């Protein structure tokens, strides 16, 4: 799925809606504690928001999101 780079002032709700369920499942398969998995998921989106301006290839955000999640796990 191709996703356009959101405007910096645009909420990331659309990104959250598209990726949060799959990312949480990915994280939950690697972390036993559900609360910890939720914390990691939140941190993924914090980092996405913080580095949104610097992501060079926004046509493939999945890899970037999952790499952030792997690094946090």
């Amino acid at each position: 799925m191709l996703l356009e780079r959101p405007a910096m002032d645009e909420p990331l709700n659309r990104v959250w809606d598209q990726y949060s369920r799959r990312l949480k499942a990915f994280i939950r398969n690697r972390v036993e504690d559900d609360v910890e998995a939720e914390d990691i998921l939140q941190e993924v989106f914090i980092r996405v928001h913080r580095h949104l301006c610097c992501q060079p290839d926004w046509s493939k955000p999945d890899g970037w999101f999952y790499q952030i999640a792997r690094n946090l796990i």
Side-chain angles (χ1 to χ4, degrees), residues 10-25:
E10 178 183 333
L12 293 177
N13 292 339
R14 186 174 61 155
V15 175
W16 176 262
D17 290 343
Q18 286 182 328
Y19 292 100
S20 62
R21 184 174 294 145
R22 288 182 287 166
L23 275 170
K24 185 169 183 184

Side-chain angles (χ1 to χ4, degrees), residues 4-46:
E4 292 181 26
R5 180 188 304 262
M8 291 304 291
D9 59 345
E10 178 183 333
L12 293 177
N13 292 339
R14 186 174 61 155
V15 175
W16 176 262
D17 290 343
Q18 286 182 328
Y19 292 100
S20 62
R21 184 174 294 145
R22 288 182 287 166
L23 275 170
K24 185 169 183 184
F26 173 82
I27 295 166
R28 189 63 179 91
N29 284 331
R30 290 154 178 81
V31 175
E32 292 184 18
D33 183 7
D34 197 44
V35 173
E36 184 178 359
E38 187 66 36
D39 288 345
I40 291 170
L41 178 65
Q42 293 294 324
E43 185 62 28
V44 168
F45 281 97
I46 288 169

